[in-house]
Amino acid sequence: DTGVSQDPRHKITKRGQNVTFRCDPISEHNRLYWYRQTLGQGPEFLTYFQNEAQLEKSRLLSDRFSAERPKGSFSTLEIQRTEQGDSAMYLCASSLMSRIQFFGPGTRLTVL
Amino acid sequence: AQTVTQSQPEMSVQEAETVTLSCTYDTSESDYYLFWYKQPPSRQMILVIRQEAYKQQNATENRFSVNFQKAAKSFSLKISDSQLGDAAMYFCALGINDMRFGAGTRLTVKP
């Protein structure tokens, strides 16, 4: 069991650029979640998948954000036309049809 | 709407002493879980303890225990025999389909 992994761990980009993050869940987990965490705050829910189906999206997920989980395994989160307000830690978590979520180390995004 | 409130931004405890972190929540759902997660500086979120809402018995994990008051929608975490390694941000979370987190409590442990 290698746990939840995320790549990259850090990303620095210029405003207006597109970025994509990847999350690999624990292998047998069918649910995958994305959260955003800003400094000094708790994680905020963005979206979650059950297998390849995206079941819920937060209002925080503007039309510049898109998430996919094409084969029900890894997931990608893309942010288009990044803004400085997108700077945050992006956390991924996975679970096996239960409410217990295991978190990855996160991807820290800095938008200059 | 589901909300989680942690009213203590910071707490401090002497090593080997006991500390209690507070959490209140609000939901109209009857089937949910409650969690405490620990996030050490620059490290990933770790599950400390969980409580199923249908269980009346308070969960316990070694030095960590909860006081779950369902009617009051309160879910506090007690850390006994505090250790230096307990220093971290602690987040209370309400789990239904997704997870809603409180703003966190920063715990400092003094040697």
Side-chain angles (χ1 to χ4, degrees):
Chain A
D1 178 5
T2 56
V4 179
S5 62
Q6 293 187 244
D7 183 68
R9 295 290 305 277
H10 303 274
K11 179 70 177 179
I12 300 173
T13 192
K14 293 182 179 179
R15 190 175 52 189
Q17 297 294 304
N18 298 344
V19 295
T20 300
F21 310 140
R22 176 178 170 127
C23 171
D24 286 88
I26 294 171
S27 58
E28 67 269 24
H29 285 187
N30 61 339
R31 287 191 175 181
L32 187 148
Y33 307 80
W34 285 100
Y35 295 86
R36 182 177 71 184
Q37 185 179 23
T38 53
L39 199 61
Q41 299 297 315
E44 298 170 292
F45 169 75
L46 292 178
T47 188
Y48 91 94
F49 293 84
Q50 182 165 308
N51 300 313
E52 64 274 12
Q54 189 172 16
L55 295 188
E56 189 173 341
K57 292 195 291 186
S58 162
R59 286 174 295 177
L60 293 175
L61 212 66
S62 76
D63 56 5
R64 297 185 298 107
F65 288 70
S66 62
E68 294 183 345
R69 195 183 182 198
K71 296 183 179 179
S73 57
F74 73 91
S75 175
T76 57
L77 178 68
E78 181 183 16
I79 308 174
Q80 296 182 327
R81 305 181 303 281
T82 52
E83 302 172 355
Q84 287 185 328
D86 297 331
S87 295
M89 178 77 85
Y90 290 84
L91 298 171
C92 176
S94 70
S95 72
L96 180 62
M97 286 302 291
S98 74
R99 309 299 177 50
I100 303 171
Q101 297 181 21
F102 296 86
F103 282 80
T107 294
R108 183 170 297 283
L109 173 66
T110 301
V111 182
L112 303 176
Chain B
Q2 279 82 239
T3 60
V4 179
T5 303
Q6 292 180 250
S7 58
Q8 306 154 316
E10 296 184 359
M11 290 285 284
S12 179
V13 63
Q14 204 73 32
E15 194 176 6
E17 297 295 308
T18 297
V19 64
T20 299
L21 307 184
S22 301
C23 173
T24 58
Y25 62 95
D26 191 23
T27 181
S28 57
E29 300 287 335
S30 58
D31 181 23
Y32 55 88
Y33 282 47
L34 292 160
F35 304 87
W36 280 97
Y37 279 88
K38 169 185 177 181
Q39 189 176 41
S42 301
R43 297 184 62 186
Q44 67 193 78
M45 199 85 73
I46 302 165
L47 178 66
V48 174
I49 196 166
R50 65 164 174 159
Q51 173 82 42
E52 293 91 334
Y54 64 86
K55 288 188 177 179
Q56 292 187 337
Q57 186 172 7
N58 289 323
T60 299
E61 288 286 342
N62 301 314
R63 297 182 295 107
F64 299 88
S65 61
V66 298
N67 183 2
F68 175 44
Q69 301 290 328
K70 190 171 184 178
K73 295 182 179 175
S74 170
F75 183 61
S76 62
L77 174 69
K78 185 171 81 171
I79 306 174
S80 304
D81 185 26
S82 296
Q83 300 175 359
L84 295 177
D86 294 334
M89 283 290 288
Y90 285 81
F91 292 100
C92 177
L94 169 64
I96 302 173
N97 285 320
D98 55 55
M99 192 96 77
R100 304 297 164 122
F101 287 82
T105 296
R106 182 176 302 282
L107 179 65
T108 303
V109 181
K110 297 180 179 178

